Amino acid sequence: MASRRPGTLPGETPERRLTSISGGRAGDDRPDGPPPAVRELRARPDAGDRPDDRAEEQARLWHVVLSVAGRTTPLPELRSGLEQLAHDHSFFLTARYAEDHAEIRYWEQARDLHDAAAVALRLWGEHKASANLPPWEIVGLEVVDRATYHQRVAEGFGTPPPQPGGVHPY
């Protein structure tokens, strides 16, 4: 397995947490109350122009479209799994599905495109068991920043599905 960049897993640094996990690792109880689910990242005041003095980037919203496909699955079973995924994933927007493929649209909060795409590529596999999703593979991924998404919608491209929100058949 490839090594990960420092700070990309919950618990690697005390300051950073994944946005979809409230409270961090189990057993991370603090007497001063629960930790915030999302921490706003700001530039360090002492960050200079030197390459070694990189300022932390502020977390941004990314619009993600994840396409999955595989063997035919009974529609009621697939719908149930996608509804459970919608319940489990906090920024879930909408899903469309057919017997052999599905498309999931949601917002992800991440530092950069690399982090947003990495989370998106893990989403289906990490929720297969908990949401009873079929063993499909990811066949497409689009990740765009918030400004690009809104620009596309304003120009008439990339409009939201006809039934926004929830889980719907094609």
Side-chain angles (χ1 to χ4, degrees):
M1 178 175 219
S3 65
R4 298 179 188 263
R5 296 181 316 183
T8 59
L9 296 175
E12 279 193 37
T13 64
E15 300 88 27
R16 180 146 185 232
R17 298 190 189 284
L18 289 176
T19 58
S20 60
I21 299 175
S22 178
R25 294 188 303 186
D28 190 19
D29 298 328
R30 296 184 183 176
D32 58 343
V38 177
R39 184 177 68 87
E40 187 175 335
L41 300 176
R42 297 182 184 264
R44 293 185 321 226
D46 62 334
D49 293 331
R50 298 186 318 252
D52 294 338
D53 276 343
R54 292 189 190 134
E56 290 183 77
E57 296 177 35
Q58 186 175 14
R60 298 172 18 194
L61 281 177
W62 300 87
H63 185 260
V64 177
V65 179
L66 183 68
S67 300
V68 293
R71 293 179 162 258
T72 301
T73 300
L75 290 178
E77 182 181 314
L78 179 56
R79 180 181 180 94
S80 174
L82 289 171
E83 287 173 344
Q84 183 62 45
L85 177 62
H87 177 68
D88 293 347
H89 197 278
S90 56
F91 292 114
F92 188 90
L93 185 60
T94 188
R96 298 186 299 173
Y97 63 94
E99 292 178 331
D100 61 350
H101 65 282
E103 177 186 88
I104 302 163
R105 294 171 177 259
Y106 67 96
W107 290 97
E108 185 65 58
Q109 188 171 12
R111 268 186 320 183
D112 55 25
L113 180 120
H114 180 270
D115 288 351
V119 171
L121 290 170
R122 292 191 313 259
L123 179 72
W124 191 261
E126 288 179 354
H127 288 274
K128 265 186 209 174
S130 66
N132 197 25
L133 296 169
W136 290 352
E137 66 177 332
I138 296 172
V139 295
L141 175 64
E142 178 186 60
V143 180
V144 296
D145 68 350
R146 186 177 181 183
T148 302
Y149 173 79
H150 287 297
Q151 180 181 359
R152 285 181 176 181
V153 171
E155 293 174 351
F157 299 102
T159 56
Q163 299 170 328
V167 176
H168 306 281
Y170 272 104

